[in-house]
């Protein structure tokens, strides 16, 4: 059987997403900036998508800017947010285990003279209040952090974090990378008080090549792409109508009966973790406290990601062995899977050195069924003992 368990890398589009893309490409092919009737027809799909997305965030339509992907959304929020605030200070705070699109944006800013503070995390992937408060002062202009870590599924208490920093410095800009969190958690922008939220469509069953950036009303931001002045001059370029219609459709679909969908994912995740712990004495589950009440501890993490280390077995070898059985997983973030260094996330949580290249990520989506994870466990029971014979000394 085909067993796709790499949904944190990308997801299969919903059928409704494919259908609306086909409809817009066939019928709403005009430029939505055109002043004729065909242009207005295309524009209606754009406005409809904005309404659907804004509804999921308790936001306003004018707070949504469409982008090409989560990486662009992260870049725009960080680089342009910093540029807007430059005269007020040069200090930016983030964490030690952010996505490459955040980390490398920080490196660009560091070369421009900004002072970047990288907060450490504990073994479950959480920043400590005392470290955060200590890092914030009157010259701190921005905080950027993940809602859900893309490798281990650690969940940040975003509302609590934002309150802490804005109580200390009300003028700070807060950017949330919600690329793995949107579609998995309810995000209420009015309660959060975040200034920027980055989202990528292909993480929640929309196509690749479309994302959006939430920019809180009243927050000034320097344009990132210049040209025809589309999207309030904040992101010029002819709008990708099929992609925009698709991401709106996916947003509406994923949040329909949302609690039931997420409950199903947590059920799959818990059974999978219990089966791993039962069958493999040398496996380590990363980002989940496996002591005490496992059910309660799993609910403190994201529902779709399981990071597991098999001691002494090289991740890439096990990945390809599973692939031969029709099981598709990742050895880390697919966005940087060809990078030769060990995962910054795994190093950040203090994973022991001999497990750094022995870790696989299993990730679920709305098409994942328990039969898939059960099959994965059965194949692991077959493969791990064989590969363990060649365990590194």
């Amino acid at each position: 059987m085909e067993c796709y368990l790499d949904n944190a890398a990308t997801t299969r589009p919903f059928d409704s997403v494919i259908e609306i893309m086909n409809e817009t490409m066939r019928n709403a092919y005009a430029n939505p900036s055109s002043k004729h009737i065909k242009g207005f027809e295309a524009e209606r799909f754009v406005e409809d998508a904005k309404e659907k997305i804004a509804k999921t965030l308790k936001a306003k339509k004018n707070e949504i800017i469409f982008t090409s992907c989560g990486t662009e959304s992260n870049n725009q929020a960080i680089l342009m947010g910093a540029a807007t605030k430059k005269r007020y200070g040069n200090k930016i705070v983030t964490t030690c285990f952010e996505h490459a699109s955040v980390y490398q944006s920080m490196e660009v800013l560091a070369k421009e003279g900004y002072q970047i503070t990288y907060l450490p995390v504990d073994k479950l992937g959480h920043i400590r209040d005392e470290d955060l408060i200590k890092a914030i002062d009157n010259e701190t202009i921005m905080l950027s952090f993940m809602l859900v870590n893309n490798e281990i599924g650690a969940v940040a208490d975003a509302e609590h974090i934002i309150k802490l920093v804005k109580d200390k410095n009300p003028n700070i800009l807060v950017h949330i990378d919600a690329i793995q969190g949107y579609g998995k958690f309810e995000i209420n922008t009015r309660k959060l008080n975040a200034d920027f939220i980055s989202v990528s469509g292909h993480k929640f069953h929309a196509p690749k090549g479309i994302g959006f950036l939430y920019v809180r009303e009243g927050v000034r931001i320097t344009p990132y792409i210049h040209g025809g002045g589309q999207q309030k001059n904040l992101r010029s370029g002819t709008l990708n109508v099929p992609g925009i219609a698709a991401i709106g459709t996916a947003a509406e679909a994923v949040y329909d009966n949302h609690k039931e969908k997420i409950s199903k994912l947590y059920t799959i995740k818990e059974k999978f973790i219990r089966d791993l712990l039962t069958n493999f004495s040398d496996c380590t589950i990363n980002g989940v406290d496996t002591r005490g009440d496992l059910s309660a501890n799993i609910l403190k993490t994201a529902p779709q990601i399981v990071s597991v280390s098999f001691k002494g077995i090289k991740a890439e070898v096990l990945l390809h062995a599973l692939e031969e059985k029709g099981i598709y997983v990742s050895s880390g973030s697919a966005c940087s899977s060809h990078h030769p260094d060990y995962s910054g996330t795994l190093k950040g949580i203090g994973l022991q050195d001999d497990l750094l290249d022995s870790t696989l990520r299993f990730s679920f989506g709305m098409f994942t069924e328990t039969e898939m994870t059960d099959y994965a466990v059965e194949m692991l029971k077959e493969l791990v003992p064989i590969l363990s014979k060649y365990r590194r000394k």
Side-chain angles (χ1 to χ4, degrees):
M1 66 181 291
E2 180 174 295
C3 186
Y4 183 74
L5 298 175
D6 198 18
N7 289 273
T10 199
T11 54
R12 168 185 152 192
F14 290 131
D15 289 345
S16 58
V17 165
I18 297 170
E19 288 166 6
I20 200 161
M21 288 189 75
N22 284 335
E23 179 184 349
T24 53
M25 284 189 285
R26 286 195 179 100
N27 302 315
Y29 47 81
N31 190 321
S33 297
S34 297
K35 300 303 180 185
H36 49 64
I37 188 66
K38 293 298 291 183
F40 293 151
E41 289 174 358
E43 185 183 25
R44 278 199 292 270
F45 282 96
V46 174
E47 293 304 309
D48 183 58
K50 279 187 182 181
E51 286 183 4
K52 290 174 178 176
I53 291 168
K55 185 178 179 181
T56 68
L57 294 169
K58 307 294 189 293
K60 299 176 182 177
K61 281 173 56 177
N62 65 359
E63 295 175 311
I64 306 300
I65 298 172
F66 292 110
T67 65
S68 65
C69 60
T71 291
E72 183 190 331
S73 297
N74 281 341
N75 274 250
Q76 180 167 7
I78 294 167
L79 298 177
M80 299 300 99
T84 302
K85 282 281 191 176
K86 190 171 186 178
R87 61 178 174 169
Y88 299 103
N90 74 331
K91 296 181 180 179
I92 299 174
V93 177
T94 187
T95 80
C96 66
F97 76 158
E98 296 299 313
H99 187 270
S101 61
V102 170
Y103 183 81
Q104 291 182 25
S105 293
M106 296 297 174
E107 289 185 324
V108 169
L109 291 175
K111 291 176 182 177
E112 294 179 3
Y114 289 87
Q115 180 181 322
I116 314 297
T117 297
Y118 297 94
L119 298 175
V121 294
D122 63 23
K123 64 181 180 179
L124 295 178
H126 302 132
I127 59 177
R128 302 171 184 86
D129 287 358
E130 56 269 28
D131 292 332
L132 177 60
I133 293 170
K134 183 179 178 181
I136 303 297
D137 62 25
N138 290 335
E139 293 185 358
T140 306
I141 59 174
M142 180 181 290
L143 167 69
S144 177
F145 67 93
M146 278 180 164
L147 179 60
V148 171
N149 181 268
N150 57 310
E151 292 189 50
I152 64 171
V155 180
D157 187 345
E159 192 172 344
H160 173 71
I161 288 170
I162 294 171
K163 186 177 188 309
L164 281 181
V165 301
K166 294 216 172 188
D167 280 351
K168 188 166 183 182
N169 180 351
N171 297 316
I172 192 171
L173 290 175
V174 176
H175 165 245
I176 299 177
D177 173 351
I179 291 166
Q180 293 290 349
Y182 183 85
K184 310 307 185 299
F185 293 93
E186 298 282 352
I187 300 175
N188 186 327
T189 57
R190 297 297 163 241
K191 287 184 177 180
L192 271 183
N193 199 25
D195 299 291
F196 307 115
I197 300 175
S198 300
V199 176
S200 181
H202 74 102
K203 305 297 186 182
F204 62 97
H205 305 282
K208 302 166 193 66
I210 187 67
F212 67 83
L213 177 65
Y214 162 85
V215 181
R216 185 168 60 85
E217 189 175 50
V219 173
R220 289 181 58 249
I221 184 171
T222 302
Y224 184 59
I225 296 176
H226 302 273
Q230 291 90 344
Q231 302 200 78
K232 302 182 297 182
N233 282 313
L234 293 179
R235 204 270 189 182
S236 292
T238 302
L239 293 173
N240 172 10
V241 177
I244 290 170
I247 197 172
T249 298
E252 183 178 54
V254 81
Y255 277 103
D256 182 46
N257 294 318
H258 186 251
K259 289 182 179 179
E260 290 81 356
K261 289 183 172 75
I262 301 309
S263 177
K264 175 187 172 183
L265 290 183
Y266 274 122
T267 298
I268 292 171
K269 179 171 181 173
E270 180 174 348
K271 184 176 187 302
F272 184 52
I273 289 176
R274 289 188 182 279
D275 288 346
L276 291 172
L277 293 173
T278 298
N279 288 285
F280 306 100
S281 59
D282 270 352
C283 83
T284 299
I285 307 298
N286 304 307
V288 178
D289 186 352
T290 55
R291 303 164 301 174
D293 188 343
L294 183 60
S295 297
N297 291 337
I298 286 172
L299 289 175
K300 297 174 184 177
T301 70
Q304 81 276 25
I305 295 173
V306 176
S307 172
V308 56
S309 305
F310 294 92
K311 188 174 182 179
I313 300 175
K314 194 171 179 62
E316 189 172 348
V317 173
L318 183 53
L319 182 152
H320 290 303
L322 288 169
E323 179 186 13
E324 291 182 359
K325 302 292 185 179
I327 302 167
Y328 304 99
V329 300
S330 174
S331 57
S333 171
C335 300
S336 55
S337 61
H338 298 297
H339 200 284
D341 292 337
Y342 290 137
S343 160
T345 292
L346 299 181
K347 289 190 290 185
I349 63 172
L351 191 67
Q352 60 194 69
D353 290 348
D354 62 347
L355 296 182
L356 289 174
D357 67 345
S358 298
T359 302
L360 292 180
R361 180 186 66 183
F362 297 79
S363 52
F364 317 136
M366 299 306 160
F367 295 104
T368 305
E369 301 293 342
T370 303
E371 291 77 14
M372 296 180 181
T373 50
D374 287 348
Y375 175 64
V377 170
E378 289 304 309
M379 292 302 100
L380 286 167
K381 286 164 65 175
E382 175 184 319
L383 294 168
V384 168
I386 296 171
L387 297 176
S388 293
K389 293 179 182 179
Y390 307 99
R391 182 170 289 178
R392 291 162 294 177
K393 305 297 182 182

